Amino acid sequence: MAPRVLVRIGALFLAPTAYRHLPTIGWATHGDIHAELRWQLDHHFHTKTVVIGDRRLGSPAAARRAIDDALKTLAGQDLLLVCLAGHAAEFNRRDGDITALALPGSVPGRPTSMLQVDELSAGVRPGDGKPVIVCADLISPRDTTGPIASAFAGASVLASQSAADAEPENTCHGALAAVLGDLAAAGTDQLAPQLLNAARQRLVTAGGRPHLTIGASAAAITSKYVTEQLPEYVREDLSSPDPGSRLDAVTELAALAPSTPFARDSLMRLAASDPAEAVRGYADTMSRQDRQPSLRQLLADGLIPREAHEAALKQPATPDLLPHPGGDVILGVDAPNGQDDCRPRHTVRLQPYRLARTVVTNRQYLAFLTAEGGPCPDHWQSDNSLWLDDLPVVMVSWLDASRYCTWLTRHLHHTRALAHNQRIVLPSEAQWEAAAGNGRGRPYPWGDAPDPRRANIRATSIGAVVAPGRFSPDGDNDAGCQDLIGNVWEWTRSLWGRSGHQPTFGYPYSHDDGREMASTRPGARYVIRGGAFYYATECANSFTRNRMLATDRHPAGGFRVTSTNATETTS
C-alpha cells in the first residue's frame, strides 16, 4: 500500500451553464452543481480552486487557453481534481471517434464548436507521480463515461451519465461533496480510491449507475480539522437524508460550535444551504441563540394576536392535570428490543401523581411570559399561523421549561388550584414512561403494535407539529393523556449525563442515584421522551430514551408538566 501522504488539492472546475443551442440544465437553474463540492473543498481541505465559467468558454480555443492558465496556477499542488459538468456528445469519424464537451455557444452536430476531451485531458494526465481525480456529470444521448475514463488514462475517474433535471445531490459532484463532508467530520484521512468508492456507493444507493476507474496513485486526503473529530452519532445525523436527523445534528453542532471550528462551519453551512427549510431556519436560530425576540417587540410588531395577549392577562390558560395511580410499574425492555440504555425490563414503585393532558401550548406559555417576562421562542417572530390551532410550544430549552414550572406553581398556589404542599415540575422519565405504557410496560399507550393512525410520526406523513388532541382518543393513554407518542418530544427532569452518546444514568432506573437532582453545570443533558413528528416508527414508543442539552431549543421539542408533593421522591 502506498504511504499516506497528506495532500494539497488543486481543483479545476469546468462548468458551462447558459447554453444558446442546447436544453437548459436543471442543476444550473435550481443550484450550481459545483456549489457544495466547492464549499467542502474551500472550507475543510487544503485546496486552491480555479473556476472556468461561461465568459472564458466562448470557443474551443478560448477554453484551451483558460485551461492552460488554470493548470499553471495549480501546478504546485499535490493532487489535481478536475470537475466537469454539462452537455457532452460523441461523434463517429473515419479517423477515430470524438468525445467532446459542449460550450455555451456549441451547436449540436458540430464537433468543431465543442471542446474535445482529448484536448482537455492532454494537459492533466498524471505525471511525475502527481495523482489526478476526474469527477464528471455529463448529459448525452449515449453513455460517454467510458470514453471519458479512457481519455484520462492513469487518472481516477468517477463519472455518470446524468439527467438534465437531476438534483445536484444525486450527481457525482454531490456524492463526492458528501463523502468529503463525512471525512472532515470524522477528522481522519482516507485514501482516494476508498473515498471515490464511497461516493460511487452513495450514487448506486440513490439509483444511479456511475462509472469508476481507479488510477495507479493512492494518495491520502485529509481535512484541516484532523484533530476535531465529531462524535459518530453527530456525523450520522449530519449526513442523513432525513431532515429530522439533520435537525438533531444542528442541536449538537450548536453545542460544539464555541470550541470547534468544524462544527461552527457546518452549522453555518446548514443555515445557508440545507435543502430543508426547517433545517435552514433552525440552524440559523441556533447560530444566534443570544438574540431571541422579546414579548414587547412581538406585540409591537403585531406578531402575537391581541386577543391571545388579553386572555393571557385576564384568564391565563393552564394545563389540565390528570391522575395516575403510581404503584409498581414496569419500565424498559429486554433484548432484542430497544437500545442498551433502555434495558433491562424492570419494576419500580412510584407515588401517585398527576400528569398534564397535553404538552404545554403556545397560549399557555404566553401566559407565563406575560406574567414573568423573558425571551420568546424564536419562531414566534416569523410564524403567526401557530396561534390559530394553539399548537404545542416548541423551541424551549430545559431551562425555559423549568422556569415555566416555577411560575405555574406560584400561579396555581395563588388561585388555590394547587395545594401548598405541592409543586409543578417536569415529569421524571419514570413517571413519563409509566404514563406512556400505562404502568404495564406496553410500548404504546394503545397497546403493543405501532400505529401511525394514532400518533404523529414519520410514517403518518404529516411532516409538521399539529395541535394537541388530533389523535385523541385513539392515541391516548388510560388516563386520557394525549400525544405521548410523536408530534413533539418532551423534556423530563431526569439527567442523562454529560456525554452525547453514553448515558451516565442508564437503566435499571433508580430515583436516588443523582439523576433527579437538577444540574446547572455546563454540558448537562436531560432525558427526552416520546419521539416527534419526524421520528421513525422504531424510535417513537414508550421506552426509547434520548437526550438534549439543557440549553437546547429545538423545533420539535416541547414539554408537559406534572404535580408532586414538595418533599416527594418518585419511588
Side-chain angles (χ1 to χ4, degrees), residues 478-511:
D478 289 350
C481 289
Q482 302 170 356
D483 303 314
L484 285 159
I485 306 301
N487 207 27
V488 299
W489 53 253
E490 303 177 25
W491 287 111
T492 74
R493 68 173 184 266
S494 301
L495 276 166
W496 168 277
R498 294 176 62 81
S499 168
H501 187 52
Q502 294 294 333
T504 303
F505 302 102
Y507 268 14
Y509 176 89
S510 176
H511 75 277

PDB file of all heavy atoms in Angstrom, residues 478-511:
ATOM      1  N   ASP A 478     -54.507   5.397  29.257  1.00  0.00           N
ATOM      2  CA  ASP A 478     -55.716   5.047  30.014  1.00  0.00           C
ATOM      3  C   ASP A 478     -56.285   6.234  30.773  1.00  0.00           C
ATOM      4  O   ASP A 478     -57.508   6.345  30.951  1.00  0.00           O
ATOM      5  CB  ASP A 478     -55.413   3.919  31.011  1.00  0.00           C
ATOM      6  CG  ASP A 478     -55.171   2.586  30.326  1.00  0.00           C
ATOM      7  OD1 ASP A 478     -55.428   2.489  29.102  1.00  0.00           O
ATOM      8  OD2 ASP A 478     -54.724   1.637  31.005  1.00  0.00           O
ATOM      9  N   ALA A 479     -55.410   7.150  31.207  1.00  0.00           N
ATOM     10  CA  ALA A 479     -55.872   8.298  31.980  1.00  0.00           C
ATOM     11  C   ALA A 479     -56.411   9.422  31.106  1.00  0.00           C
ATOM     12  O   ALA A 479     -57.048  10.350  31.607  1.00  0.00           O
ATOM     13  CB  ALA A 479     -54.730   8.827  32.850  1.00  0.00           C
ATOM     14  N   GLY A 480     -56.138   9.370  29.791  1.00  0.00           N
ATOM     15  CA  GLY A 480     -56.614  10.412  28.878  1.00  0.00           C
ATOM     16  C   GLY A 480     -55.547  11.381  28.418  1.00  0.00           C
ATOM     17  O   GLY A 480     -55.867  12.380  27.756  1.00  0.00           O
ATOM     18  N   CYS A 481     -54.267  11.123  28.716  1.00  0.00           N
ATOM     19  CA  CYS A 481     -53.194  11.994  28.231  1.00  0.00           C
ATOM     20  C   CYS A 481     -53.011  11.797  26.732  1.00  0.00           C
ATOM     21  O   CYS A 481     -52.959  10.662  26.245  1.00  0.00           O
ATOM     22  CB  CYS A 481     -51.889  11.701  28.966  1.00  0.00           C
ATOM     23  SG  CYS A 481     -51.889  12.237  30.678  1.00  0.00           S
ATOM     24  N   GLN A 482     -52.873  12.904  26.019  1.00  0.00           N
ATOM     25  CA  GLN A 482     -52.811  12.887  24.561  1.00  0.00           C
ATOM     26  C   GLN A 482     -51.364  13.018  24.060  1.00  0.00           C
ATOM     27  O   GLN A 482     -50.532  13.655  24.693  1.00  0.00           O
ATOM     28  CB  GLN A 482     -53.646  14.039  23.997  1.00  0.00           C
ATOM     29  CG  GLN A 482     -55.112  13.999  24.422  1.00  0.00           C
ATOM     30  CD  GLN A 482     -55.851  15.273  24.050  1.00  0.00           C
ATOM     31  OE1 GLN A 482     -55.270  16.225  23.540  1.00  0.00           O
ATOM     32  NE2 GLN A 482     -57.162  15.291  24.327  1.00  0.00           N
ATOM     33  N   ASP A 483     -51.126  12.413  22.902  1.00  0.00           N
ATOM     34  CA  ASP A 483     -49.876  12.632  22.151  1.00  0.00           C
ATOM     35  C   ASP A 483     -48.619  12.332  22.965  1.00  0.00           C
ATOM     36  O   ASP A 483     -47.594  12.999  22.810  1.00  0.00           O
ATOM     37  CB  ASP A 483     -49.806  14.081  21.644  1.00  0.00           C
ATOM     38  CG  ASP A 483     -50.995  14.465  20.790  1.00  0.00           C
ATOM     39  OD1 ASP A 483     -51.355  13.678  19.903  1.00  0.00           O
ATOM     40  OD2 ASP A 483     -51.580  15.551  21.027  1.00  0.00           O
ATOM     41  N   LEU A 484     -48.677  11.311  23.802  1.00  0.00           N
ATOM     42  CA  LEU A 484     -47.456  10.906  24.482  1.00  0.00           C
ATOM     43  C   LEU A 484     -46.434  10.363  23.487  1.00  0.00           C
ATOM     44  O   LEU A 484     -45.223  10.439  23.720  1.00  0.00           O
ATOM     45  CB  LEU A 484     -47.772   9.856  25.554  1.00  0.00           C
ATOM     46  CG  LEU A 484     -48.424  10.413  26.820  1.00  0.00           C
ATOM     47  CD1 LEU A 484     -49.151   9.307  27.588  1.00  0.00           C
ATOM     48  CD2 LEU A 484     -47.404  11.098  27.710  1.00  0.00           C
ATOM     49  N   ILE A 485     -46.911   9.823  22.392  1.00  0.00           N
ATOM     50  CA  ILE A 485     -46.033   9.334  21.333  1.00  0.00           C
ATOM     51  C   ILE A 485     -46.128  10.289  20.147  1.00  0.00           C
ATOM     52  O   ILE A 485     -47.221  10.606  19.672  1.00  0.00           O
ATOM     53  CB  ILE A 485     -46.421   7.905  20.891  1.00  0.00           C
ATOM     54  CG1 ILE A 485     -46.459   6.958  22.091  1.00  0.00           C
ATOM     55  CG2 ILE A 485     -45.456   7.410  19.817  1.00  0.00           C
ATOM     56  CD1 ILE A 485     -45.154   6.839  22.844  1.00  0.00           C
ATOM     57  N   GLY A 486     -44.982  10.753  19.654  1.00  0.00           N
ATOM     58  CA  GLY A 486     -44.951  11.569  18.453  1.00  0.00           C
ATOM     59  C   GLY A 486     -45.321  13.019  18.679  1.00  0.00           C
ATOM     60  O   GLY A 486     -45.450  13.506  19.804  1.00  0.00           O
ATOM     61  N   ASN A 487     -45.463  13.734  17.586  1.00  0.00           N
ATOM     62  CA  ASN A 487     -45.772  15.160  17.499  1.00  0.00           C
ATOM     63  C   ASN A 487     -44.583  15.991  17.969  1.00  0.00           C
ATOM     64  O   ASN A 487     -43.841  16.515  17.156  1.00  0.00           O
ATOM     65  CB  ASN A 487     -47.047  15.511  18.265  1.00  0.00           C
ATOM     66  CG  ASN A 487     -47.711  16.749  17.680  1.00  0.00           C
ATOM     67  OD1 ASN A 487     -47.552  17.053  16.499  1.00  0.00           O
ATOM     68  ND2 ASN A 487     -48.457  17.479  18.495  1.00  0.00           N
ATOM     69  N   VAL A 488     -44.371  16.152  19.290  1.00  0.00           N
ATOM     70  CA  VAL A 488     -43.154  16.777  19.797  1.00  0.00           C
ATOM     71  C   VAL A 488     -42.559  15.869  20.859  1.00  0.00           C
ATOM     72  O   VAL A 488     -43.279  15.211  21.606  1.00  0.00           O
ATOM     73  CB  VAL A 488     -43.417  18.180  20.400  1.00  0.00           C
ATOM     74  CG1 VAL A 488     -43.982  19.113  19.358  1.00  0.00           C
ATOM     75  CG2 VAL A 488     -44.318  18.117  21.621  1.00  0.00           C
ATOM     76  N   TRP A 489     -41.222  15.815  20.906  1.00  0.00           N
ATOM     77  CA  TRP A 489     -40.617  15.090  22.026  1.00  0.00           C
ATOM     78  C   TRP A 489     -40.702  15.952  23.261  1.00  0.00           C
ATOM     79  O   TRP A 489     -40.882  17.175  23.189  1.00  0.00           O
ATOM     80  CB  TRP A 489     -39.194  14.644  21.713  1.00  0.00           C
ATOM     81  CG  TRP A 489     -38.203  15.674  21.241  1.00  0.00           C
ATOM     82  CD1 TRP A 489     -37.711  15.830  19.973  1.00  0.00           C
ATOM     83  CD2 TRP A 489     -37.536  16.674  22.053  1.00  0.00           C
ATOM     84  NE1 TRP A 489     -36.793  16.856  19.933  1.00  0.00           N
ATOM     85  CE2 TRP A 489     -36.663  17.393  21.192  1.00  0.00           C
ATOM     86  CE3 TRP A 489     -37.592  17.024  23.394  1.00  0.00           C
ATOM     87  CZ2 TRP A 489     -35.860  18.440  21.631  1.00  0.00           C
ATOM     88  CZ3 TRP A 489     -36.794  18.074  23.856  1.00  0.00           C
ATOM     89  CH2 TRP A 489     -35.946  18.770  22.967  1.00  0.00           C
ATOM     90  N   GLU A 490     -40.567  15.331  24.438  1.00  0.00           N
ATOM     91  CA  GLU A 490     -40.866  16.019  25.690  1.00  0.00           C
ATOM     92  C   GLU A 490     -39.688  15.954  26.658  1.00  0.00           C
ATOM     93  O   GLU A 490     -39.108  14.896  26.891  1.00  0.00           O
ATOM     94  CB  GLU A 490     -42.111  15.394  26.338  1.00  0.00           C
ATOM     95  CG  GLU A 490     -43.336  15.421  25.422  1.00  0.00           C
ATOM     96  CD  GLU A 490     -44.549  14.747  26.042  1.00  0.00           C
ATOM     97  OE1 GLU A 490     -44.626  14.672  27.291  1.00  0.00           O
ATOM     98  OE2 GLU A 490     -45.418  14.289  25.278  1.00  0.00           O
ATOM     99  N   TRP A 491     -39.378  17.128  27.240  1.00  0.00           N
ATOM    100  CA  TRP A 491     -38.368  17.193  28.288  1.00  0.00           C
ATOM    101  C   TRP A 491     -38.834  16.414  29.518  1.00  0.00           C
ATOM    102  O   TRP A 491     -40.022  16.411  29.845  1.00  0.00           O
ATOM    103  CB  TRP A 491     -38.129  18.635  28.726  1.00  0.00           C
ATOM    104  CG  TRP A 491     -37.375  19.519  27.782  1.00  0.00           C
ATOM    105  CD1 TRP A 491     -37.881  20.583  27.087  1.00  0.00           C
ATOM    106  CD2 TRP A 491     -35.983  19.460  27.462  1.00  0.00           C
ATOM    107  NE1 TRP A 491     -36.888  21.178  26.351  1.00  0.00           N
ATOM    108  CE2 TRP A 491     -35.713  20.509  26.560  1.00  0.00           C
ATOM    109  CE3 TRP A 491     -34.944  18.615  27.853  1.00  0.00           C
ATOM    110  CZ2 TRP A 491     -34.441  20.740  26.046  1.00  0.00           C
ATOM    111  CZ3 TRP A 491     -33.676  18.834  27.335  1.00  0.00           C
ATOM    112  CH2 TRP A 491     -33.430  19.891  26.449  1.00  0.00           C
ATOM    113  N   THR A 492     -37.905  15.775  30.203  1.00  0.00           N
ATOM    114  CA  THR A 492     -38.151  15.258  31.551  1.00  0.00           C
ATOM    115  C   THR A 492     -37.167  15.943  32.494  1.00  0.00           C
ATOM    116  O   THR A 492     -36.243  16.633  32.072  1.00  0.00           O
ATOM    117  CB  THR A 492     -37.959  13.735  31.648  1.00  0.00           C
ATOM    118  OG1 THR A 492     -36.563  13.430  31.613  1.00  0.00           O
ATOM    119  CG2 THR A 492     -38.686  13.019  30.515  1.00  0.00           C
ATOM    120  N   ARG A 493     -37.360  15.733  33.800  1.00  0.00           N
ATOM    121  CA  ARG A 493     -36.431  16.332  34.760  1.00  0.00           C
ATOM    122  C   ARG A 493     -35.249  15.409  35.052  1.00  0.00           C
ATOM    123  O   ARG A 493     -34.372  15.746  35.855  1.00  0.00           O
ATOM    124  CB  ARG A 493     -37.148  16.701  36.054  1.00  0.00           C
ATOM    125  CG  ARG A 493     -37.643  15.542  36.905  1.00  0.00           C
ATOM    126  CD  ARG A 493     -38.190  16.061  38.245  1.00  0.00           C
ATOM    127  NE  ARG A 493     -38.583  14.995  39.145  1.00  0.00           N
ATOM    128  CZ  ARG A 493     -39.805  14.506  39.256  1.00  0.00           C
ATOM    129  NH1 ARG A 493     -40.769  14.996  38.480  1.00  0.00           N
ATOM    130  NH2 ARG A 493     -40.080  13.549  40.117  1.00  0.00           N
ATOM    131  N   SER A 494     -35.192  14.250  34.416  1.00  0.00           N
ATOM    132  CA  SER A 494     -34.169  13.247  34.709  1.00  0.00           C
ATOM    133  C   SER A 494     -32.892  13.517  33.914  1.00  0.00           C
ATOM    134  O   SER A 494     -32.934  13.694  32.696  1.00  0.00           O
ATOM    135  CB  SER A 494     -34.688  11.842  34.383  1.00  0.00           C
ATOM    136  OG  SER A 494     -35.848  11.539  35.134  1.00  0.00           O
ATOM    137  N   LEU A 495     -31.777  13.507  34.617  1.00  0.00           N
ATOM    138  CA  LEU A 495     -30.480  13.706  33.967  1.00  0.00           C
ATOM    139  C   LEU A 495     -30.092  12.490  33.131  1.00  0.00           C
ATOM    140  O   LEU A 495     -30.284  11.350  33.538  1.00  0.00           O
ATOM    141  CB  LEU A 495     -29.403  13.943  35.019  1.00  0.00           C
ATOM    142  CG  LEU A 495     -29.229  15.373  35.549  1.00  0.00           C
ATOM    143  CD1 LEU A 495     -28.369  15.354  36.798  1.00  0.00           C
ATOM    144  CD2 LEU A 495     -28.604  16.261  34.487  1.00  0.00           C
ATOM    145  N   TRP A 496     -29.507  12.776  31.984  1.00  0.00           N
ATOM    146  CA  TRP A 496     -28.875  11.759  31.151  1.00  0.00           C
ATOM    147  C   TRP A 496     -27.389  11.664  31.499  1.00  0.00           C
ATOM    148  O   TRP A 496     -26.828  10.597  31.633  1.00  0.00           O
ATOM    149  CB  TRP A 496     -29.060  12.126  29.677  1.00  0.00           C
ATOM    150  CG  TRP A 496     -28.248  11.366  28.686  1.00  0.00           C
ATOM    151  CD1 TRP A 496     -26.947  11.609  28.323  1.00  0.00           C
ATOM    152  CD2 TRP A 496     -28.654  10.232  27.906  1.00  0.00           C
ATOM    153  NE1 TRP A 496     -26.527  10.717  27.359  1.00  0.00           N
ATOM    154  CE2 TRP A 496     -27.564   9.855  27.083  1.00  0.00           C
ATOM    155  CE3 TRP A 496     -29.834   9.507  27.817  1.00  0.00           C
ATOM    156  CZ2 TRP A 496     -27.619   8.787  26.198  1.00  0.00           C
ATOM    157  CZ3 TRP A 496     -29.899   8.440  26.921  1.00  0.00           C
ATOM    158  CH2 TRP A 496     -28.813   8.090  26.135  1.00  0.00           C
ATOM    159  N   GLY A 497     -26.759  12.831  31.640  1.00  0.00           N
ATOM    160  CA  GLY A 497     -25.329  12.915  31.914  1.00  0.00           C
ATOM    161  C   GLY A 497     -24.701  13.979  31.049  1.00  0.00           C
ATOM    162  O   GLY A 497     -25.392  14.866  30.535  1.00  0.00           O
ATOM    163  N   ARG A 498     -23.399  13.903  30.822  1.00  0.00           N
ATOM    164  CA  ARG A 498     -22.696  14.907  30.027  1.00  0.00           C
ATOM    165  C   ARG A 498     -22.366  14.424  28.624  1.00  0.00           C
ATOM    166  O   ARG A 498     -22.189  15.218  27.707  1.00  0.00           O
ATOM    167  CB  ARG A 498     -21.414  15.347  30.743  1.00  0.00           C
ATOM    168  CG  ARG A 498     -21.668  16.076  32.047  1.00  0.00           C
ATOM    169  CD  ARG A 498     -20.359  16.411  32.766  1.00  0.00           C
ATOM    170  NE  ARG A 498     -19.517  17.293  31.968  1.00  0.00           N
ATOM    171  CZ  ARG A 498     -19.670  18.603  31.898  1.00  0.00           C
ATOM    172  NH1 ARG A 498     -20.634  19.197  32.572  1.00  0.00           N
ATOM    173  NH2 ARG A 498     -18.848  19.330  31.154  1.00  0.00           N
ATOM    174  N   SER A 499     -22.272  13.122  28.430  1.00  0.00           N
ATOM    175  CA  SER A 499     -21.943  12.570  27.123  1.00  0.00           C
ATOM    176  C   SER A 499     -23.152  12.674  26.193  1.00  0.00           C
ATOM    177  O   SER A 499     -24.294  12.495  26.613  1.00  0.00           O
ATOM    178  CB  SER A 499     -21.533  11.105  27.249  1.00  0.00           C
ATOM    179  OG  SER A 499     -21.475  10.481  25.982  1.00  0.00           O
ATOM    180  N   GLY A 500     -22.871  12.934  24.920  1.00  0.00           N
ATOM    181  CA  GLY A 500     -23.951  12.947  23.956  1.00  0.00           C
ATOM    182  C   GLY A 500     -24.331  11.571  23.462  1.00  0.00           C
ATOM    183  O   GLY A 500     -25.267  11.426  22.676  1.00  0.00           O
ATOM    184  N   HIS A 501     -23.603  10.538  23.914  1.00  0.00           N
ATOM    185  CA  HIS A 501     -23.866   9.190  23.408  1.00  0.00           C
ATOM    186  C   HIS A 501     -24.159   8.214  24.546  1.00  0.00           C
ATOM    187  O   HIS A 501     -25.260   7.697  24.661  1.00  0.00           O
ATOM    188  CB  HIS A 501     -22.664   8.702  22.590  1.00  0.00           C
ATOM    189  CG  HIS A 501     -22.897   7.410  21.882  1.00  0.00           C
ATOM    190  ND1 HIS A 501     -23.989   7.190  21.063  1.00  0.00           N
ATOM    191  CD2 HIS A 501     -22.179   6.266  21.858  1.00  0.00           C
ATOM    192  CE1 HIS A 501     -23.933   5.967  20.577  1.00  0.00           C
ATOM    193  NE2 HIS A 501     -22.848   5.377  21.055  1.00  0.00           N
ATOM    194  N   GLN A 502     -23.182   7.965  25.419  1.00  0.00           N
ATOM    195  CA  GLN A 502     -23.372   7.021  26.508  1.00  0.00           C
ATOM    196  C   GLN A 502     -23.923   7.741  27.732  1.00  0.00           C
ATOM    197  O   GLN A 502     -23.340   8.719  28.194  1.00  0.00           O
ATOM    198  CB  GLN A 502     -22.045   6.341  26.863  1.00  0.00           C
ATOM    199  CG  GLN A 502     -21.504   5.443  25.768  1.00  0.00           C
ATOM    200  CD  GLN A 502     -22.403   4.234  25.517  1.00  0.00           C
ATOM    201  OE1 GLN A 502     -23.106   3.789  26.412  1.00  0.00           O
ATOM    202  NE2 GLN A 502     -22.382   3.729  24.296  1.00  0.00           N
ATOM    203  N   PRO A 503     -25.042   7.269  28.305  1.00  0.00           N
ATOM    204  CA  PRO A 503     -25.611   7.966  29.458  1.00  0.00           C
ATOM    205  C   PRO A 503     -24.830   7.689  30.734  1.00  0.00           C
ATOM    206  O   PRO A 503     -24.327   6.591  30.946  1.00  0.00           O
ATOM    207  CB  PRO A 503     -27.027   7.368  29.545  1.00  0.00           C
ATOM    208  CG  PRO A 503     -26.889   5.995  28.971  1.00  0.00           C
ATOM    209  CD  PRO A 503     -25.867   6.119  27.873  1.00  0.00           C
ATOM    210  N   THR A 504     -24.753   8.690  31.581  1.00  0.00           N
ATOM    211  CA  THR A 504     -24.246   8.472  32.931  1.00  0.00           C
ATOM    212  C   THR A 504     -25.257   7.682  33.750  1.00  0.00           C
ATOM    213  O   THR A 504     -24.900   6.830  34.565  1.00  0.00           O
ATOM    214  CB  THR A 504     -23.955   9.813  33.618  1.00  0.00           C
ATOM    215  OG1 THR A 504     -23.032  10.560  32.817  1.00  0.00           O
ATOM    216  CG2 THR A 504     -23.392   9.614  35.010  1.00  0.00           C
ATOM    217  N   PHE A 505     -26.537   7.984  33.500  1.00  0.00           N
ATOM    218  CA  PHE A 505     -27.625   7.339  34.235  1.00  0.00           C
ATOM    219  C   PHE A 505     -28.423   6.461  33.267  1.00  0.00           C
ATOM    220  O   PHE A 505     -29.214   6.960  32.472  1.00  0.00           O
ATOM    221  CB  PHE A 505     -28.530   8.386  34.872  1.00  0.00           C
ATOM    222  CG  PHE A 505     -27.800   9.316  35.804  1.00  0.00           C
ATOM    223  CD1 PHE A 505     -27.456  10.596  35.401  1.00  0.00           C
ATOM    224  CD2 PHE A 505     -27.427   8.901  37.066  1.00  0.00           C
ATOM    225  CE1 PHE A 505     -26.778  11.457  36.246  1.00  0.00           C
ATOM    226  CE2 PHE A 505     -26.741   9.751  37.929  1.00  0.00           C
ATOM    227  CZ  PHE A 505     -26.412  11.035  37.517  1.00  0.00           C
ATOM    228  N   GLY A 506     -28.172   5.168  33.344  1.00  0.00           N
ATOM    229  CA  GLY A 506     -28.868   4.234  32.469  1.00  0.00           C
ATOM    230  C   GLY A 506     -29.990   3.520  33.200  1.00  0.00           C
ATOM    231  O   GLY A 506     -30.525   4.004  34.196  1.00  0.00           O
ATOM    232  N   TYR A 507     -30.358   2.369  32.673  1.00  0.00           N
ATOM    233  CA  TYR A 507     -31.361   1.514  33.296  1.00  0.00           C
ATOM    234  C   TYR A 507     -30.668   0.298  33.889  1.00  0.00           C
ATOM    235  O   TYR A 507     -29.607  -0.107  33.373  1.00  0.00           O
ATOM    236  CB  TYR A 507     -32.399   1.102  32.255  1.00  0.00           C
ATOM    237  CG  TYR A 507     -33.597   2.012  32.170  1.00  0.00           C
ATOM    238  CD1 TYR A 507     -33.580   3.278  32.767  1.00  0.00           C
ATOM    239  CD2 TYR A 507     -34.760   1.621  31.512  1.00  0.00           C
ATOM    240  CE1 TYR A 507     -34.689   4.106  32.694  1.00  0.00           C
ATOM    241  CE2 TYR A 507     -35.869   2.447  31.441  1.00  0.00           C
ATOM    242  CZ  TYR A 507     -35.825   3.690  32.029  1.00  0.00           C
ATOM    243  OH  TYR A 507     -36.918   4.506  31.974  1.00  0.00           O
ATOM    244  N   PRO A 508     -31.141  -0.302  34.976  1.00  0.00           N
ATOM    245  CA  PRO A 508     -32.412  -0.044  35.634  1.00  0.00           C
ATOM    246  C   PRO A 508     -32.468   1.369  36.241  1.00  0.00           C
ATOM    247  O   PRO A 508     -31.451   1.915  36.661  1.00  0.00           O
ATOM    248  CB  PRO A 508     -32.489  -1.098  36.742  1.00  0.00           C
ATOM    249  CG  PRO A 508     -31.529  -2.164  36.323  1.00  0.00           C
ATOM    250  CD  PRO A 508     -30.450  -1.456  35.577  1.00  0.00           C
ATOM    251  N   TYR A 509     -33.682   1.888  36.324  1.00  0.00           N
ATOM    252  CA  TYR A 509     -33.920   3.223  36.853  1.00  0.00           C
ATOM    253  C   TYR A 509     -33.800   3.213  38.370  1.00  0.00           C
ATOM    254  O   TYR A 509     -34.277   2.292  39.041  1.00  0.00           O
ATOM    255  CB  TYR A 509     -35.324   3.685  36.456  1.00  0.00           C
ATOM    256  CG  TYR A 509     -35.720   5.016  37.039  1.00  0.00           C
ATOM    257  CD1 TYR A 509     -35.433   6.190  36.380  1.00  0.00           C
ATOM    258  CD2 TYR A 509     -36.384   5.092  38.274  1.00  0.00           C
ATOM    259  CE1 TYR A 509     -35.790   7.411  36.909  1.00  0.00           C
ATOM    260  CE2 TYR A 509     -36.741   6.305  38.813  1.00  0.00           C
ATOM    261  CZ  TYR A 509     -36.442   7.460  38.127  1.00  0.00           C
ATOM    262  OH  TYR A 509     -36.791   8.675  38.662  1.00  0.00           O
ATOM    263  N   SER A 510     -33.136   4.234  38.913  1.00  0.00           N
ATOM    264  CA  SER A 510     -33.060   4.413  40.361  1.00  0.00           C
ATOM    265  C   SER A 510     -33.226   5.885  40.659  1.00  0.00           C
ATOM    266  O   SER A 510     -32.462   6.711  40.147  1.00  0.00           O
ATOM    267  CB  SER A 510     -31.722   3.905  40.909  1.00  0.00           C
ATOM    268  OG  SER A 510     -31.609   4.171  42.294  1.00  0.00           O
ATOM    269  N   HIS A 511     -34.215   6.215  41.506  1.00  0.00           N
ATOM    270  CA  HIS A 511     -34.521   7.626  41.737  1.00  0.00           C
ATOM    271  C   HIS A 511     -33.477   8.310  42.607  1.00  0.00           C
ATOM    272  O   HIS A 511     -33.387   9.540  42.612  1.00  0.00           O
ATOM    273  CB  HIS A 511     -35.890   7.765  42.403  1.00  0.00           C
ATOM    274  CG  HIS A 511     -35.882   7.401  43.860  1.00  0.00           C
ATOM    275  ND1 HIS A 511     -35.977   6.095  44.294  1.00  0.00           N
ATOM    276  CD2 HIS A 511     -35.747   8.173  44.972  1.00  0.00           C
ATOM    277  CE1 HIS A 511     -35.927   6.073  45.616  1.00  0.00           C
ATOM    278  NE2 HIS A 511     -35.791   7.307  46.059  1.00  0.00           N
TER     279      HIS A 511
END
